[in-house]
Amino acid sequence: MPDIAPFIQASKKLIGIFGYWPDFHDAEIVEAHFTRGDSQLFEKRQPTLTAKLHTWQPTGKVDAKGYWLLHHHTLVTLRFHNIEEDFCMEGFNRQNVISELRIEQQERTDGPSPFFAVRFWACSGMGAIFKCASIEVVEAVPCTENGRCNTVLEPIPMDRDGSALER
């Protein structure tokens, strides 16, 4: 699958932490917020979905109990702009784990192009499939292993290019 990061606004916020665009394997959707768009009379509304996901980077190592060791626990907020009417979601509950967040840029023969085909592949809880006009990384902040932000946590140090420095 081609690298999607160059087509996502502010993708460096996430790439700077992980060194690449993650597949979000086993990430958890902790928030999903829908907005219908502006409400000015006679203005075209552009519905958005803002999703907050807890993700991390696997180390490829296991601890003494056999659990995978993970690092760079991060809360990522993604915003999907101009969601199309064929949006489909199901299964949102107390735990919303996905096996993958698949994003593909596609072209149409009729209608606005390019667009993004997005799929949250559900493991447990929420799954969704939709099309949108653009995607942005709103923020990517360090968090605990439980996906909680804590003011005691210090930001991940970055170099001038937006890449994470070793701690």
Side-chain angles (χ1 to χ4, degrees):
M1 185 177 306
D3 183 19
I4 198 69
F7 306 105
I8 296 176
Q9 299 168 31
S11 62
K12 274 190 157 190
K13 292 177 184 177
L14 195 51
I15 293 170
I17 295 169
F18 296 106
Y20 56 89
W21 183 262
D23 61 8
F24 294 90
H25 178 70
D26 284 342
E28 183 178 3
I29 302 164
V30 295
E31 281 182 31
H33 180 81
F34 298 91
T35 307
R36 68 180 186 168
D38 64 56
S39 58
Q40 299 295 322
L41 192 58
F42 304 113
E43 292 291 323
K44 181 177 170 113
R45 293 186 172 125
Q46 296 189 347
T48 62
L49 164 62
T50 303
K52 188 174 285 190
L53 297 98
H54 171 213
T55 193
W56 50 81
Q57 187 174 48
T59 64
K61 300 174 185 172
V62 294
D63 65 15
K65 294 181 180 180
Y67 293 106
W68 289 107
L69 294 172
L70 310 168
H71 65 175
H72 295 312
H73 285 268
T74 304
L75 274 178
V76 181
T77 304
L78 301 173
R79 185 163 296 137
F80 303 89
H81 295 274
N82 203 6
I83 302 287
E84 296 186 11
E85 291 178 14
D86 60 351
F87 179 91
C88 180
M89 180 185 99
E90 60 185 31
F92 189 83
N93 64 33
R94 63 179 180 76
Q95 187 177 32
N96 301 284
V97 178
I98 59 173
S99 62
E100 177 184 9
L101 173 56
R102 180 170 296 171
I103 301 171
E104 297 175 351
Q105 189 179 44
Q106 299 180 351
E107 297 285 333
R108 298 180 218 260
T109 54
D110 186 28
S113 280
F115 69 96
F116 293 94
V118 180
R119 183 157 195 171
F120 288 87
W121 283 91
C123 284
S124 171
M126 182 184 148
I129 186 167
F130 58 92
K131 297 179 198 91
C132 65
S134 64
I135 303 169
E136 71 173 302
V137 177
V138 176
E139 69 177 358
V141 296
C143 67
T144 66
E145 290 179 7
N146 296 326
R148 302 221 190 315
C149 283
N150 186 335
T151 55
V152 177
L153 288 176
E154 295 188 23
I156 296 172
M158 303 279 192
D159 66 15
R160 283 202 215 141
D161 295 327
S163 297
L165 298 172
E166 288 299 317
R167 295 184 196 203

